[in-house]
Amino acid sequence: MKRLLTGIILLLACAAQAQLSNYNSQAYWSRFALQAGHQHPTGSDTSLVFVSNRFIHPDSLRFVDEFLDTTALKFFFLEKQQGTWKVYQEPTLAEAMEHMPIRRDIVVYAEGMGKIFTSNVERAQLMSAQYGVNVVMFDYASINTTYKPSKNFRFARQNAKLSASQYRELLTMIKTARDNQEPWIQDVSVSTFYHSMGNIILEQMMKGTPDGILAKDVQPFVDNLIINAACVPMKRHARWVENIHFAKNIYVHYNKRDLQLKGAHFLTFRRQLGEKVTRRQRAGNAQYVNFLEVARWKHSYFMNFPYNDYRLNPAMVAYFTRLFNGQGITAGELTALQASAPAATVSN
């Protein structure tokens, strides 16, 4: 079994590295153009906001690098025109969001290991297009293209931990915008989505000082908080999940066949939250959704990717559409999900 898991990890790492080489090629980076300070967006149906803690090199083709800058967050508005992503750096989150389509629900998206700036753009754009939402991508350095897989595993985990305080800054900005009824956030829902190692950011943040947005008496300003395929320890996760008071609804997605989480389990000697959750260790304020049968061995089962044969069934699309558009999932709707996709089981 140990030899089998080692082989699986190496195959997954090699596949990810091969795919990453495309995203980091000169040809791919040529599709991105950092705009000068005097230039302004002209309008596009395809647009994103990025909040990044990477170092920026304005004069380089690869103007967003692969290392963490914990001194300051950078805000970008991206619009795609004639196959090129125009990237505008903005002074604040509000100024970036003011360029986005109005009255569209917002998803704040934190990805897992293995993403450079360009591959995060692709994932954010896919989510926006498939679910009709405005995506705010929290873009942190989760891989270095010069490192070997084992070093990158440690690199990504450490950077996710180091990014927690800056992610908390981002959520504080969103709460302030809600409190001040800023136009870009009025009459829309806000959901936060954490995939794989992106959940390390959430876990680390929740282990911080319980004040501000983490205080017990804070009014919820996030509609749905989604813990997806979490690459964090399952054991004692309820301690920090039950301290999440800033979200109205919390959903935990798991799949015990997830090959990438089996690899993380093997490397860390700890069962991962996204694998399997025992009933006695569940958080009382969260709903747990088991995607074992419908996801099979997949790790990214929340949207369709052009390079994968795997496709979400209609019930899964409907489920994630509701989550990303801030709608609660009632007991009746969970029953309907089970009826339309009997292999997916849901429990509280």
Side-chain angles (χ1 to χ4, degrees):
M1 178 60 73
K2 181 177 180 181
R3 184 174 296 176
L4 175 62
L5 285 174
T6 302
I8 290 169
I9 294 166
L10 289 174
L11 283 172
L12 291 171
C14 290
Q17 201 71 25
Q19 192 178 92
L20 190 62
S21 64
N22 174 55
Y23 292 119
N24 199 38
S25 68
Q26 184 168 335
Y28 204 92
W29 270 102
S30 67
R31 304 177 191 176
F32 294 80
L34 182 63
Q35 305 299 291
H38 65 277
Q39 295 174 303
H40 302 285
T42 56
S44 170
D45 292 336
T46 305
S47 56
L48 307 165
V49 165
F50 268 49
V51 179
S52 182
N53 62 1
R54 301 175 189 260
F55 283 101
I56 308 301
H57 307 287
D59 298 325
S60 172
L61 174 69
R62 296 173 176 82
F63 54 87
V64 186
D65 79 9
E66 300 172 6
F67 289 97
L68 214 62
D69 175 14
T70 57
T71 63
L73 287 171
K74 293 90 178 175
F75 306 96
F76 297 99
F77 172 76
L78 292 78
E79 62 177 0
K80 193 173 187 180
Q81 294 184 334
Q82 298 178 337
T84 297
W85 283 100
K86 293 184 176 181
V87 183
Y88 304 84
Q89 188 164 0
E90 300 287 352
T92 65
L93 173 66
E95 286 170 276
M97 292 300 296
E98 284 170 1
H99 300 301
M100 295 290 277
I102 62 172
R103 304 294 185 267
R104 288 181 67 178
D105 296 317
I106 297 168
V107 178
V108 184
Y109 180 4
E111 251 294 343
M113 177 185 168
K115 311 302 181 297
I116 61 174
F117 179 82
T118 55
S119 52
N120 262 343
V121 169
E122 184 197 55
R123 289 207 160 202
Q125 191 274 325
L126 287 172
M127 178 179 284
S128 176
Q130 290 180 32
Y131 295 108
V133 292
N134 282 343
V135 174
V136 178
M137 173 66 82
F138 183 74
D139 175 56
Y140 68 103
S142 64
I143 197 167
N144 187 290
T145 52
T146 66
Y147 293 169
K148 293 181 179 180
S150 58
K151 186 173 182 178
N152 264 322
F153 185 77
R154 297 190 298 271
F155 176 81
R157 292 178 74 199
Q158 181 64 15
N159 280 359
K161 290 178 181 179
L162 292 172
S163 297
S165 61
Q166 290 176 304
Y167 184 83
R168 181 171 176 169
E169 287 180 42
L170 171 59
L171 289 189
T172 301
M173 293 172 195
I174 292 171
K175 181 184 184 303
T176 300
R178 276 249 196 246
D179 292 343
N180 295 338
Q181 298 184 340
E182 294 181 20
W184 62 269
I185 204 170
Q186 282 192 36
D187 303 319
V188 299
S189 69
V190 176
S191 298
T192 57
F193 179 76
Y194 312 85
H195 177 59
S196 195
M197 281 194 191
N199 287 280
I200 296 175
I201 298 172
L202 175 64
E203 177 193 41
Q204 192 70 17
M205 181 183 75
M206 293 311 305
K207 291 180 177 180
T209 306
D211 58 10
I213 63 165
L214 304 187
K216 286 185 177 181
D217 59 351
V218 69
Q219 289 297 310
F221 59 92
V222 167
D223 294 277
N224 292 333
L225 184 149
I226 305 145
I227 297 172
N228 190 76
C231 190
V232 297
M234 185 275 289
K235 191 174 183 180
R236 300 191 184 94
H237 76 277
R239 293 184 180 180
W240 57 267
V241 172
E242 289 179 348
N243 285 329
I244 299 173
H245 304 289
F246 61 84
K248 295 177 184 176
N249 305 301
I250 300 170
Y251 300 89
V252 180
H253 299 160
Y254 66 99
N255 168 24
K256 73 176 183 180
R257 288 184 186 168
D258 187 322
L259 282 183
Q260 285 176 248
L261 292 183
K262 284 185 180 297
H265 184 165
F266 171 70
L267 291 171
T268 63
F269 303 104
R270 293 181 178 182
R271 176 181 287 172
Q272 302 299 292
L273 176 56
E275 284 184 275
K276 186 179 179 181
V277 190
T278 60
R279 288 192 174 275
R280 62 185 179 84
Q281 296 213 38
R282 296 184 178 188
N285 60 337
Q287 295 189 78
Y288 291 79
V289 185
N290 182 0
F291 283 96
L292 168 63
E293 297 301 332
V294 287
R296 302 195 297 270
W297 51 269
K298 297 298 292 182
H299 183 58
S300 296
Y301 47 80
F302 54 94
M303 59 186 179
N304 294 322
F305 297 91
Y307 43 80
N308 285 346
D309 293 333
Y310 173 81
R311 288 291 178 265
L312 278 66
N313 68 34
M316 295 171 73
V317 172
Y319 172 80
F320 282 107
T321 298
R322 288 190 63 82
L323 285 190
F324 292 148
N325 285 276
Q327 301 173 56
I329 308 295
T330 66
E333 287 161 344
L334 292 177
T335 301
L337 173 64
Q338 288 180 288
S340 59
T345 58
V346 185
S347 56
N348 292 320

